[in-house]
Amino acid sequence: MKFYGVAPIRYLDAAGADEPAATRASFDLTVATALRMEELGFDGFGVGERHHWPFLSSAPPVVLSHVAALTRRIRLFTGVTLLSMLDPLRVAEDYATLDHLSGGRLELIVGKGAGPGGALFGLTPDQQRPALADNFRLLHELWTSDEVSWRAQRRPRLDGVRSLPRPLNGRPRIWHGSSSSLDSVALAAEYGDPVVFSNAGLSSESARPLVEHYRAEWARHGRPADRLFTGAGTPGFLVAKTSQAAVAAYRPAYERLAAMQRSIGARPPFASVEDFIARSPALVGSPAQVIDKVHRQHEVFGHSLIVFSVDPDGLAEDDHRASLELFAGEVAPALRTALPDPPP
């Protein structure tokens, strides 16, 4: 099993959000977290993509290029690239450049996106999912074909285009992030790509129909069952020595998350932090509790990758550091042994 941490990059100080110091402090914290994760032996580090308050994650390839220059081993990914809103040619060029600068450490997680950013790019909510599928197909062509012609649809037509630079070692791995869409997992199966089940607002069990549809589509395309590769996302992460300490430390973070959801017009799907920890895919608890929960989730997802938020969410620095260290020292080794990776 592999462990990827993603940072959504929020403003550290909402009251001073327009101040350059708050912006710089937010980016500095993100970079410091990436370096700490490489030091602790995590497998991947990524940043999300958002285009609305209170996030600073509007330019993932820029942030990841900076991280690439400061690291040597850790994989670099996006969680997620909002491919429904972006020009696939621009995505192909930007991320192939990052692939070279990082020495071939790039991966993408692509998705429609759940925030209100679509309007900035001229898309209504109903247009985003069809746009995601069309843009993914074009991105795949740009990264696998030396000459691409593309009919005009949501962007100007292409005639014999070769995107540059080419990815370092062929098309990088692209994950499809999905929390509810059968279309997204079917598209992943069609292209032989892995899926990250990102059911942040639901129980793990509720995702079972999505998982089963992905497996059925994978088999329908004649793909070997032992090559199916999945990941699971988690909306909350904190490991402490005892469950009581974990809940106490995470409670303020959950309350801030719920307040942020309400501020953008969303209704928090869980009644309390205890309900959130018990019913959501959040990994909050003692090392033994987190290990047990991952095993229970594995019965649903069959996953070999965990993608979790490593944003401090306002946690005390000591709590945040201790959480990462406990996970790396006690949780990760147990899960790597019990749940090995599928073939490459």
Side-chain angles (χ1 to χ4, degrees), residues 36-77:
R36 182 175 297 165
M37 292 190 70
E38 177 163 86
E39 179 184 348
L40 291 173
F42 285 81
D43 300 290
F45 176 81
V47 296
E49 181 178 340
R50 298 274 186 165
H51 298 275
H52 59 88
W53 171 261
F55 296 99
L56 278 166
S57 301
S58 56
V62 178
V63 176
L64 291 173
S65 291
H66 183 65
V67 172
L70 299 174
T71 58
R72 293 292 177 267
R73 177 196 58 80
I74 201 164
R75 306 287 295 174
L76 302 172
F77 71 100

Side-chain angles (χ1 to χ4, degrees), residues 64 80 86 121 146 167 270 303 326:
L64 291 173
V80 300
L86 305 177
F121 297 88
D146 287 337
F270 301 98
H303 59 306
L326 268 176

Side-chain angles (χ1 to χ4, degrees), residues 36 40 316-326:
R36 182 175 297 165
L40 291 173
E317 184 177 352
D318 288 346
D319 289 337
H320 187 237
R321 180 186 296 108
S323 175
L324 292 174
E325 291 174 351
L326 268 176

Side-chain angles (χ1 to χ4, degrees), residues 2 7 21 36 79 107 120 243 271 331:
K2 288 183 167 51
R36 182 175 297 165
E107 299 184 23
L120 296 176
S243 60
V331 177

Side-chain angles (χ1 to χ4, degrees), residues 120-300:
L120 296 176
F121 297 88
L123 291 175
T124 66
D126 290 342
Q127 293 172 323
Q128 285 180 240
R129 195 168 301 285
L132 171 62
D134 289 345
N135 288 349
F136 167 76
R137 293 182 189 280
L138 176 52
L139 175 63
H140 174 82
E141 288 299 315
L142 289 166
W143 271 353
T144 57
S145 301
D146 287 337
E147 191 172 284
V148 175
S149 296
W150 197 258
R151 68 187 186 281
Q153 192 168 355
R154 290 181 170 84
R155 64 161 337 279
R157 65 177 293 138
L158 300 175
D159 293 303
V161 169
R162 175 181 169 87
S163 65
L164 295 172
R166 310 301 294 159
L168 181 60
N169 297 307
R171 198 198 87 164
R173 179 157 60 188
I174 300 177
W175 299 77
H176 297 246
S178 180
S179 60
S180 61
S181 171
L182 297 178
D183 291 341
S184 291
V185 299
L187 183 66
E190 178 185 345
Y191 282 82
D193 291 332
V195 168
V196 174
F197 298 103
S198 52
N199 57 325
L202 302 168
S203 68
S204 297
E205 184 61 35
S206 68
R208 191 179 291 275
L210 199 63
V211 177
E212 291 176 350
H213 187 67
Y214 176 56
R215 291 172 177 164
E217 287 294 296
W218 187 270
R220 188 174 71 81
H221 287 284
R223 304 192 184 281
D226 65 353
R227 296 283 170 169
L228 191 145
F229 193 17
T230 62
T234 173
F237 166 73
L238 190 142
V239 186
K241 292 183 177 179
T242 68
S243 60
Q244 295 85 351
V247 173
Y250 195 76
R251 186 182 303 279
Y254 172 76
E255 291 173 352
R256 277 189 293 272
L257 173 64
M260 187 271 289
Q261 290 171 328
R262 287 189 290 267
S263 74
I264 61 174
R267 181 179 178 181
F270 301 98
S272 65
V273 67
E274 289 83 4
D275 185 38
F276 175 72
I277 293 170
R279 295 198 300 116
S280 83
L283 299 177
V284 178
S286 67
Q289 285 178 310
V290 170
I291 291 169
D292 177 68
K293 189 167 188 178
V294 171
H295 277 280
R296 286 186 278 117
Q297 291 174 344
H298 188 266
E299 294 174 1
V300 177

